[in-house]
Amino acid sequence: MNTLLTMEIKCQGGNCGRFISELSINWPFLVVVLFIKRDIKMVWGFVTCGPNQALVISGCCHSKPLLVPGGRTFVWPMIQQVQELPLKTMTLQVESPKVYTCQGVPITVTGIAQVKIQGQNEEMLLNACEQFLGKSGIKEIEKVALETLEGHQRAIMGSMTVEEIYKDRKKFSKNVYEVASADLMNMGITVISYTLKDVRDDCGYLQALGMARTAEVKRDARIGEAEAQRDGQIKEAIAEEERMAAKYLNDTEIAKAKRDFELKKAAYDLEVNTKKAEAELAYALQVAKTQQRIREEQMHIKVVERAQDIAVQEQEIQRKQKELDATVRRPAEAEKYRLEKLAEANRNRVILEAEAQAEAVRIKGEAEAFALEAKGRADAEQLARKAEAYKQYKDAAIVELLLDALPKIAAEVAAPLTHTKKMTLVSTGGEIGAAKLSYEILETVLRMPQLISTVTGVDITKTITKPAA
């Protein structure tokens, strides 16, 4: 019987661990659901790995990935995912063919390196997760490490001579190990060991070094042998001379034979020594010729190196010129053209706006001037008509104007009283109340002719009373 179980899990803060510990499973078996998306496994239950692997769990309840090198952990489905990272040792054969040393001699070096992802250091393991999770397999990790080691090996080869690499292999291996370890540690990879396996060349440089040393050893052997023979013959001759001298003291014939023997022996010794001297001179001459050829080959190698350096520098100059054209000159010309067009457009816009504003100001000024002129003419015409009317009607017109103005004057005098909320009247006798207030307003209006006469010199009272007289 198959049972489909659906669970909703809510994790708030760090309560998922307590929720898991409090969860009790009462089923006789545990169903594990596996979803595969690239190398990501969605597992429900306990997940284990061997000592040569590390589990990387991410998702709910983890602010950063949980790293489990060689162990087990519990993984929730749908809300957590688990990935595996190999920790086993990788053997890399680092080969650098035909790399030029600091002397310009091309040699081929082969090294053997043992590397692995460090599982005990959490920081290095996190770096390895960032670099290699999602790779298709361990071959890609080996490829990254191999290319890094090969690059550093080539750099160290270019900084040392052939003699240093060939004679002091320990120093070369140490330099490559120290330089490569620094970069690989940033990727989470530890270099366990590095050894130099083979050094060879195709131009016979190492063979020439061996031949020179072999010739020196053979020369020393021949010189030692000749010196030993010389010393033996000298001692033998001295012993023979002493023996013969004792014998020939009493035997003249033997003395004569001794004399002849010594003369012949001297001649033989002269011939032998001459041949030895000629052989030594011929050997020295051959050594000098060999050294001269070696120096000529070295000079030829330097000439080729200089020519290659010059060609590389010329290509680098051309590359930098093209790079300068692409990155500086052409963008600068485009920016200059863009700025010139923007400046021209801005200038045209400013000129058009200024012309439009000037035209608007001119039209507005003309309209305002025309309006003022029309208003002035209308006001002048109105004043002229009023002057003619006043001239025709004279005192009657003035009386009419005065009668029209008196209500307005009374209203302006009484206007402050309309804003009064409360009024208290104090009287020392006579009328009080509203009648007194009206009387004071009328008295103020009646004083207006006197005020006008004082200000303008026109006596309105006389003008009004004149027709009655």
Side-chain angles (χ1 to χ4, degrees):
M1 179 178 179
N2 297 328
T3 303
L4 180 61
L5 178 62
T6 303
M7 298 184 63
E8 180 179 1
I9 302 171
K10 298 182 179 179
C11 296
Q12 298 180 354
N15 296 328
C16 283
R18 182 171 60 83
F19 177 79
I20 293 171
S21 64
E22 294 177 357
L23 179 65
S24 61
I25 302 176
N26 298 321
W27 304 289
F29 57 90
L30 181 65
V31 179
V32 178
V33 183
L34 179 63
F35 298 90
I36 300 178
K37 182 180 181 182
R38 296 183 182 175
D39 63 337
I40 300 175
K41 298 180 179 179
M42 303 296 294
V43 181
W44 177 10
F46 285 97
V47 181
T48 61
C49 67
N52 63 341
Q53 290 180 322
L55 295 176
V56 183
I57 297 91
S58 59
C60 183
C61 305
H62 299 296
S63 59
K64 63 178 181 178
L66 175 63
L67 307 176
V68 182
R72 66 171 184 170
T73 185
F74 189 89
V75 179
W76 288 97
M78 305 303 294
I79 61 173
Q80 291 181 347
Q81 64 184 19
V82 60
Q83 297 170 273
E84 293 180 357
L85 189 67
L87 302 180
K88 65 180 182 179
T89 302
M90 297 169 281
T91 301
L92 306 177
Q93 181 172 340
V94 187
E95 185 171 356
S96 300
K98 295 182 180 181
V99 178
Y100 287 91
T101 64
C102 64
Q103 296 175 335
V105 181
I107 62 174
T108 300
V109 171
T110 302
I112 301 297
Q114 306 289 337
V115 300
K116 72 182 295 292
I117 294 176
Q118 182 58 259
Q120 303 302 322
N121 190 316
E122 183 177 358
E123 182 178 357
M124 293 181 64
L125 191 55
L126 282 173
N127 291 338
C129 293
E130 294 177 358
Q131 299 292 332
F132 303 115
L133 279 182
K135 298 291 185 182
S136 60
I138 196 171
K139 294 295 183 182
E140 293 193 18
I141 302 176
E142 291 179 352
K143 181 180 178 182
V144 172
L146 178 61
E147 290 178 353
T148 303
L149 283 166
E150 183 179 356
H152 288 299
Q153 180 173 277
R154 294 174 70 91
I156 298 300
M157 290 171 62
S159 65
M160 298 178 67
T161 63
V162 179
E163 290 79 0
E164 290 176 344
I165 298 173
Y166 183 74
K167 295 179 181 179
D168 196 355
R169 297 192 175 195
K170 185 176 181 181
K171 177 182 177 181
F172 178 81
S173 299
K174 181 181 179 182
N175 291 341
V176 176
Y177 176 84
E178 292 177 350
V179 174
S181 295
D183 285 348
L184 290 176
M185 285 180 65
N186 294 330
M187 303 179 190
I189 298 176
T190 300
V191 180
I192 301 174
S193 66
Y194 173 84
T195 56
L196 182 59
K197 180 181 179 182
D198 184 28
V199 180
R200 63 184 183 276
D201 70 326
D202 298 331
C203 59
Y205 188 88
L206 295 174
Q207 185 179 2
L209 292 177
M211 291 174 63
R213 180 58 183 166
T214 303
E216 291 177 0
V217 172
K218 289 182 179 180
R219 180 197 63 188
D220 295 340
R222 287 194 297 269
I223 292 173
E225 183 181 359
E227 290 177 351
Q229 290 179 359
R230 181 195 64 189
D231 294 340
Q233 290 176 0
I234 291 173
K235 291 180 181 180
E236 182 181 355
I238 292 173
E240 184 67 20
E241 182 181 0
E242 290 176 353
R243 185 183 67 82
M244 294 301 294
K247 182 179 179 181
Y248 292 154
L249 288 174
N250 299 317
D251 194 352
T252 305
E253 293 298 331
I254 295 176
K256 291 181 180 179
K258 171 72 173 171
R259 181 191 61 186
D260 295 339
F261 174 76
E262 291 295 336
L263 289 174
K264 291 181 180 180
K265 184 177 181 300
Y268 294 154
D269 289 341
L270 177 62
E271 185 178 357
V272 171
N273 291 331
T274 301
K275 294 296 183 181
K276 287 183 178 180
E278 290 178 356
E280 291 178 355
L281 290 175
Y283 174 75
L285 180 61
Q286 186 64 32
V287 170
K289 290 181 179 179
T290 302
Q291 292 178 351
Q292 181 65 26
R293 287 197 298 270
I294 292 174
R295 284 194 293 270
E296 289 177 357
E297 290 296 330
Q298 290 178 348
M299 292 299 295
H300 180 68
I301 290 173
K302 290 183 178 180
V303 170
V304 173
E305 181 183 3
R306 293 287 178 83
Q308 291 179 351
D309 290 341
I310 292 172
V312 171
Q313 290 177 1
E314 290 178 353
Q315 292 179 0
E316 182 66 17
I317 291 172
Q318 294 177 0
R319 185 189 67 79
K320 288 186 176 180
Q321 288 179 351
K322 292 181 179 180
E323 182 179 359
L324 180 63
D325 292 338
T327 59
V328 178
R329 290 178 180 172
R330 292 182 180 177
E333 291 177 357
E335 183 66 16
K336 178 182 177 183
Y337 179 77
R338 187 181 69 83
L339 293 176
E340 288 178 352
K341 290 299 181 181
L342 289 176
E344 183 179 357
N346 190 32
R347 182 177 64 83
N348 294 333
R349 181 181 62 80
V350 171
I351 292 174
L352 293 175
E353 289 180 354
E355 291 178 352
Q357 290 178 358
E359 184 66 18
V361 170
R362 185 184 64 80
I363 294 173
K364 183 178 180 182
E366 291 179 355
E368 291 178 352
F370 181 76
L372 290 174
E373 183 180 0
K375 183 179 180 181
R377 286 197 301 267
D379 292 341
E381 185 177 354
Q382 182 179 6
L383 290 175
R385 290 180 179 178
K386 284 183 179 181
E388 287 187 9
Y390 291 158
K391 184 177 180 182
Q392 182 178 359
Y393 292 102
K394 295 182 181 180
D395 296 338
I398 295 172
V399 171
E400 183 179 359
L401 290 173
L402 180 59
L403 292 176
D404 291 338
L406 284 177
K408 296 179 180 180
I409 294 171
E412 291 296 328
V413 172
L417 297 177
T418 60
H419 301 288
T420 303
K421 294 182 179 180
K422 183 179 180 181
M423 181 181 297
T424 303
L425 299 176
V426 179
S427 177
T428 57
E431 295 182 357
I432 60 173
K436 181 64 175 177
L437 185 60
S438 301
Y439 175 77
E440 289 181 355
I441 292 173
L442 292 174
E443 186 177 359
T444 300
V445 174
L446 291 176
R447 291 177 183 173
M448 289 301 298
Q450 184 181 357
L451 178 61
I452 294 172
S453 176
T454 303
V455 174
T456 62
V458 178
D459 191 352
I460 298 176
T461 306
K462 291 182 179 181
T463 304
I464 295 172
T465 55
K466 188 176 181 180

